């Protein structure tokens, strides 16, 4: 049996491209022709779409190719953020997609899937999709973004390395074609992140690649309801379990906690006892906690606009190389979040009576990102920590099973969100979406049996202490407030759960609701964050309101 078909196919593609490129380097006006030369119909193609960094110029070029020459592409990318990434389906260039997250394009994705204009293979977690790059979804061609290239073709990816390493390696070592857009071509680069031998073609893009400030949250938008829920979480979970390593999902609820570490966290005795090691992008709202000495290390899956100078001033905390710049890696970060953290705390759009949650609703396919990896109990974990052991003691007390620990998985949500839409529902929209989009299973983000606590402004439901499905359901209904699901609770059962400490209200924790004011925020606006950073944080212009 021949085992060099891909190698011969690669050589065939390179021969077609030889007249278009000057060695590795390609002019901007030749990029569409290059793509038509190296991409073949029905190829698996990855155009780098990360949480933040986008190969936007290459996305636009791909959308301009002739569908009569190249069609039926199978796209694989972690994040769908740009319109061009879906335009190729409208134009008949691509027909199928496997992805992880599509927040900005979630509404359009749902409409196109329902109309049959796009076929969704699966909604993956990041780690799951990366794993498939090396098995059955290996790209024939990948298009990536980098900060710089030198004259030999070595690439420097800078602070926002993100998905680049996993995309390049999976393609380059399976006889695929690697195309890079770079911001600049220079004589010398700060460090070699991708060696020239792994890269086939390089184009200096007309504009800097698109970078989304995804993790910037203005403290001015944090409400007193969010602050109350943050107080409940901090006293009822952080101070109880003392998780030393953790991940925060992106959102205003967790941003409130970050800004309250130097104030309320100090009062609770968390400093030096909890929240020491983080898997986290450089959230600007972490600046006060870093400056106050709460944080020992932060491993990053990407960077954040405006944080570059501040990051470089903290080489003990962030992963800084010998060249003085940060190195991020989303694959390693996802692995760290899955195995090396005691706690994940995030949010969701919908939660059902058994705690199943999803951000995929009837009219929006937002995807999952890393939440299913972070928001689960990793059965392969074997190293112990006090928080992991304490959660395990509660979860498995009295059960006939070997002793084991348990990851803390917390959903921190308000009972209503958006335009008074209930977060707690009797049935997830994911079931309806399954039918509309033809999924094999409803797209549930985090399964209920992985969740340990649900926190709202109404209190905490400690699901670790529940021993039956009925107890679990009433505990969740008990913190669902005035949503229809919350109003359908069994009041006697809920009070019994409260007596047993499974449900805890603010007053049960000794928290006065009148204390939940913005005075607890170490920074109350973006300008305050700049002051905390001593001017090193340079926020994007849209966040400057002074």
């Amino acid at each position: 049996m021949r085992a060099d078909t891909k190698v011969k196919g690669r050589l065939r593609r390179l021969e077609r491209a030889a007249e278009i490129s000057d060695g590795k380097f390609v002019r901007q006006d030749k990029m569409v022709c290059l793509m038509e030369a190296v991409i073949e119909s029905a190829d698996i193609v990855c155009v780098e779409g990360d949480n933040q960094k986008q190969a936007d110029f290459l996305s636009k070029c791909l959308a301009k190719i002739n569908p009569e020459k190249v069609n039926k592409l199978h796209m694989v990318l972690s994040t769908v953020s740009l319109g061009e990434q879906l335009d190729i389906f409208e134009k008949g260039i691509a027909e199928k997609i496997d992805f992880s997250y599509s927040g900005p394009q979630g509404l359009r994705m749902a409409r196109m899937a329902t109309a049959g204009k796009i076929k969704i293979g699966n909604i993956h977690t990041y780690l799951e999709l990366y794993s498939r790059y090396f098995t059955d979804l290996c790209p024939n061609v990948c298009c990536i973004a980098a900060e710089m290239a030198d004259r030999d073709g070595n690439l420097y990816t800078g602070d926002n390395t993100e998905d680049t390493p996993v995309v390049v390696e999976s393609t380059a070592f399976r006889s695929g074609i690697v195309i890079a857009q770079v911001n600049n071509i220079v004589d010398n680069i700060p460090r070699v992140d991708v060696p020239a031998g792994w890269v086939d073609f390089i184009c200096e893009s007309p504009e800097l690649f698109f970078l989304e400030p995804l993790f910037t949250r203005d403290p001015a938008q944090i409400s007193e309801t969010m602050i109350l829920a943050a107080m409940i979480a901090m006293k009822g979970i952080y101070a109880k379990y003392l998780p030393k390593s953790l991940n925060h999902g992106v959102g205003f609820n967790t941003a409130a906690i970050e800004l309250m570490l130097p104030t309320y966290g100090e009062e609770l005795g968390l400093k030096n006892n909890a929240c020491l090691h983080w898997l986290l992008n450089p959230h600007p709202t972490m600046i006060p906690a870093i400056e106050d000495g709460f944080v020992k290390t932060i491993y990053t899956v990407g960077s954040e606009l405006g944080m570059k100078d501040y990051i470089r001033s903290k080489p003990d905390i962030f992963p800084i190389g010998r060249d003085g710049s940060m190195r991020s890696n989303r694959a390693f970060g996802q692995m760290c979040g899955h195995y090396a953290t005691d706690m994940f705390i995030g949010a969701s759009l919908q939660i059902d009576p058994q705690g199943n949650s999803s951000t995929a609703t009837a009219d929006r396919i937002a995807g999952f990102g890393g939440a299913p990896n972070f928001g689960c109990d990793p059965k392969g974990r074997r190293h112990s920590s006090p928080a992991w052991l304490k959660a395990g003691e509660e979860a498995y007390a009295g059960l006939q099973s070997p002793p084991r620990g348990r990851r803390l998985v917390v959903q921190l949500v308000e009972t209503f969100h958006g335009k008074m839409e209930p977060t707690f529902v009797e049935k997830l929209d994911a079931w309806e979406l399954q039918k509309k989009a033809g999924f094999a299973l409803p797209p549930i983000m985090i399964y209920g049996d992985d969740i340990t606590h649900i926190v709202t402004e109404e209190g905490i439901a400690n699901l670790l202490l529940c021993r039956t499905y009925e107890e679990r359901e009433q505990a969740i209904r008990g913190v669902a407030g005035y949503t229809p699901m919350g109003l359908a609770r069994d009041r006697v059962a809920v009070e019994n759960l409260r007596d047993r400490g499974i449900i805890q209200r603010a007053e049960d924790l000794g928290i006065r609701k009148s204390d939940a004011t913005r005075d607890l925020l170490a920074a109350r606006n973006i300008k305050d964050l700049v002051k905390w950073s001593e001017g090193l944080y340079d926020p994007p212009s849209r966040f400057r309101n002074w």
Side-chain angles (χ1 to χ4, degrees):
M1 183 186 76
R2 297 193 64 86
D4 61 353
T5 304
K6 287 189 175 182
V7 174
K8 292 183 181 299
R10 169 180 161 78
L11 293 175
R12 184 178 64 246
R13 295 167 195 250
L14 292 176
E15 286 175 4
R16 293 198 297 262
E19 297 180 0
I20 301 169
S21 65
D22 180 12
K24 286 185 183 292
F25 297 93
V26 187
R27 289 178 6 210
Q28 295 169 9
D29 62 343
K30 294 289 187 179
M31 282 306 300
V32 176
C33 292
L34 179 84
M35 287 189 168
E36 290 179 344
V38 300
I39 300 175
E40 298 178 356
S41 293
D43 269 353
I44 298 176
V45 177
C46 176
V47 179
E48 188 172 12
D50 306 338
N51 254 355
Q52 297 164 283
K53 180 178 70 172
Q54 304 291 318
D56 53 343
F57 173 62
L58 296 183
S59 292
K60 292 173 183 176
C61 292
L62 183 63
K64 292 177 181 177
I65 67 177
N66 187 343
E68 293 183 3
K69 293 181 180 180
V70 179
N71 50 63
K72 296 183 179 180
L73 296 183
H74 181 172
M75 303 302 297
V76 292
L77 63 165
S78 63
T79 303
V80 182
S81 290
L82 306 176
E84 294 84 4
Q85 293 163 338
L86 292 180
D87 288 347
I88 58 175
F89 294 92
E90 300 270 14
K91 296 178 178 180
I93 299 166
E95 66 177 16
K96 186 175 181 181
I97 189 169
D98 281 273
F99 72 105
S100 297
Y101 179 67
S102 66
Q105 299 295 328
L107 185 61
R108 186 181 176 194
M109 177 84 79
R111 289 173 178 170
M112 290 176 66
T114 302
K117 293 183 178 180
I118 185 170
K119 181 180 179 181
I120 298 174
N122 288 280
I123 305 174
H124 302 71
T125 72
Y126 289 130
L127 276 180
E128 182 181 20
L129 185 59
Y130 300 155
S131 299
R132 293 190 69 192
Y133 285 173
F134 291 92
T135 53
D136 61 320
L137 290 182
C138 179
N140 299 104
V141 178
C142 77
C143 302
I144 63 167
E147 291 263 0
M148 303 175 191
D150 65 19
R151 305 296 173 184
D152 294 323
N154 298 299
L155 303 183
Y156 168 67
T157 51
D159 291 1
N160 280 86
T161 298
E162 298 193 66
D163 293 10
T164 308
V166 72
V167 174
V168 170
E169 288 204 26
S170 62
T171 305
F173 290 89
R174 279 289 186 269
S175 301
I177 302 292
V178 177
I179 305 171
Q181 72 170 75
V182 298
N183 293 338
N184 301 107
I185 298 173
V186 298
D187 291 328
N188 297 292
I189 56 177
R191 67 172 186 248
V192 175
D193 288 321
V194 180
W198 298 2
V199 183
D200 297 295
F201 301 104
I202 297 169
C203 180
E204 189 173 61
S205 57
E207 296 178 347
L208 302 183
F209 58 69
F210 178 77
L211 199 58
E212 174 70 21
L214 185 65
F215 297 93
T216 298
R217 291 294 180 270
D218 187 347
Q221 304 300 314
I222 295 174
S223 68
E224 292 185 347
T225 300
M226 295 173 187
I227 292 169
L228 174 62
M231 293 176 73
I232 292 170
M234 292 173 75
K235 190 163 187 180
I237 299 175
Y238 288 62
K240 175 182 177 181
Y241 298 94
L242 298 176
K244 289 184 167 53
S245 56
L246 68 163
N247 169 255
H248 274 188
V250 59
F252 285 103
N253 292 297
T254 45
I257 293 176
E258 292 160 11
L259 290 168
M260 289 163 60
L261 286 173
T263 57
Y264 193 56
E266 179 88 47
E267 180 184 327
L268 294 174
L270 299 184
K271 191 173 183 179
N272 298 321
N273 294 308
C275 307
L276 304 177
H277 304 286
W278 297 73
L279 181 279
L280 201 69
N281 273 59
H283 292 189
T285 44
M286 284 293 294
I287 291 173
I290 293 170
E291 292 298 315
D292 207 42
F294 261 81
V295 180
K296 287 189 176 294
T297 64
I298 297 177
Y299 187 71
T300 60
V301 295
S303 190
E304 187 69 2
L305 275 174
M307 287 288 283
K308 188 172 187 177
D309 291 337
Y310 182 76
I311 289 165
R312 292 187 181 202
S313 74
K314 298 288 185 288
D316 287 350
I317 291 174
F318 295 100
I320 305 296
R322 291 171 179 81
D323 64 304
S325 67
M326 188 181 77
R327 165 80 170 188
S328 60
N329 188 305
R330 180 157 279 111
F332 287 165
Q334 293 293 312
M335 186 170 62
C336 173
H338 184 63
Y339 276 117
T341 56
D342 292 331
M343 183 172 82
F344 164 74
I345 180 167
S348 186
L349 292 179
Q350 290 187 336
I351 300 175
D352 74 10
Q354 287 302 321
N356 301 304
S357 65
S358 187
T359 53
T361 59
D363 59 354
R364 185 179 297 272
I365 305 177
F368 306 139
N373 289 127
F374 297 162
C376 73
D377 182 35
K379 302 302 183 184
R381 175 171 171 168
R382 292 295 180 269
H383 73 281
S384 297
S385 66
W388 187 72
L389 292 172
K390 187 175 183 65
E393 289 171 2
E394 290 187 345
Y396 304 111
L399 300 180
Q400 296 296 317
S401 63
R404 62 189 303 169
R406 180 73 186 259
R407 152 86 63 72
L408 293 164
V409 177
V410 183
Q411 295 277 265
L412 174 60
V413 296
E414 293 179 77
T415 52
F416 289 89
H417 65 270
K419 298 179 180 179
M420 290 304 291
E421 297 175 56
T423 301
F424 294 88
V425 296
E426 295 291 346
K427 187 175 183 179
L428 298 177
D429 283 0
W431 290 94
E432 181 182 349
L433 190 58
Q434 178 192 10
K435 297 177 183 177
K436 284 185 176 180
F439 294 139
L441 296 170
I444 293 171
M445 183 174 69
I446 299 179
Y447 286 97
D449 55 6
D450 276 319
I451 294 177
T452 62
H453 299 76
I454 295 177
V455 182
T456 71
E457 70 274 17
E458 297 287 325
I460 297 175
N462 184 344
L463 306 183
L464 289 171
L465 300 176
C466 297
R467 291 294 175 260
T468 66
Y469 282 112
E470 291 73 21
E471 286 186 351
R472 184 184 192 85
E473 177 176 330
Q474 291 305 319
I476 295 171
R477 290 184 185 275
V479 296
Y482 291 95
T483 63
M485 190 182 116
L487 293 173
R489 66 188 178 274
D490 182 327
R491 296 180 183 275
V492 174
V494 166
E495 285 307 310
N496 177 261
L497 293 173
R498 186 178 177 186
D499 291 341
R500 293 163 55 192
I502 294 175
I503 292 175
Q504 289 182 296
R505 309 290 186 201
E507 52 269 33
D508 301 330
L509 293 165
I511 296 171
R512 293 184 301 182
K513 294 181 180 179
S514 59
D515 289 339
T517 69
R518 287 178 48 80
D519 292 341
L520 287 175
L521 300 178
R524 298 175 200 171
N525 50 50
I526 293 289
K527 187 176 182 179
D528 285 350
L529 293 176
V530 175
K531 290 179 181 176
W532 270 98
S533 75
E534 298 183 347
L536 291 176
Y537 173 43
D538 181 24
S541 57
R542 76 188 200 213
F543 291 100
R544 291 178 174 272
N545 54 8
W546 64 91

